[in-house]
Amino acid sequence: MRRVRPGRAASRDAAARGGASADGSGPRGGAGAGGSGSRGGAGTRGAGSRGAPGSRPAGEERALTSVAAGDRFTGEEPADTPRLWHVTLSVSGERAPLGEVRRALEQLAHDHPFLLTSRYAADHAEIRYWEEARDLHDAAAVALRLWGEHRRSAGLPPWEIVGLEVIDRATYHQRISAGHGPAPATPVGVHPF
């Protein structure tokens, strides 16, 4: 389908003949109605494309190719498909009132949708949650920013990160079934050590 602006017929005809239009666009100017310009860009189909091999008359629909029902993609999964990672973040610092630590961790749990559980004391805390990320590097990068990014909004103590473990979902479930590693986070929520 061609789009024609009023008063542009002379410009279009000039572009179809290979010359520049009145406003300087066209095959030599860059983006004329009938050509793609000297840089090899993709111009619109115009009068210059009539009769070219594979072109369609104006108004003719292009046939669409479809995939038969039941056909499946048999290649590899895309490498950037998000996966679930189990993160355990440990923080520590100067003593803070337990009530303030609990309130701050509850706010963090509200702000971070995948937070499973937090355990806390007056001078340290452990946060466990699931993170959806492309790979371990991305999940670890998010975890290392978590405390600092939410420190002000959640009112977290000025503690530093002293430990980080990031494992994939399969490893987490293997550890649980083998009786190794921390027990599943039940009950979910914020609890004292």
Side-chain angles (χ1 to χ4, degrees), residues 35 42-43 58 137-138 160 184:
H137 297 282
D138 288 351
E160 67 176 331

Side-chain angles (χ1 to χ4, degrees), residues 128-168:
R128 294 173 54 199
Y129 66 96
W130 289 98
E131 183 67 60
E132 186 176 44
R134 181 179 48 119
D135 57 24
L136 182 137
H137 297 282
D138 288 351
V142 170
L144 290 171
R145 291 192 313 263
L146 179 72
W147 193 262
E149 286 182 354
H150 289 277
R151 196 168 144 220
R152 193 169 270 153
S153 64
L156 298 168
W159 295 343
E160 67 176 331
I161 297 172
V162 295
L164 173 66
E165 180 186 54
V166 181
I167 56 176
D168 69 352

Side-chain angles (χ1 to χ4, degrees), residues 16-89:
R17 289 191 300 270
S21 62
D23 62 355
S25 62
R28 289 184 292 241
S36 59
S38 60
R39 296 180 190 250
T44 58
R45 282 186 190 260
S49 64
R50 284 190 199 132
S55 66
R56 296 180 307 275
E60 181 181 318
E61 294 287 325
R62 183 176 74 173
L64 298 176
T65 305
S66 64
V67 177
D71 284 356
R72 297 185 58 120
F73 175 71
T74 57
E76 295 180 15
E77 287 292 320
D80 58 354
T81 301
R83 296 165 51 190
L84 282 176
W85 301 88
H86 187 265
V87 177
T88 304
L89 183 70

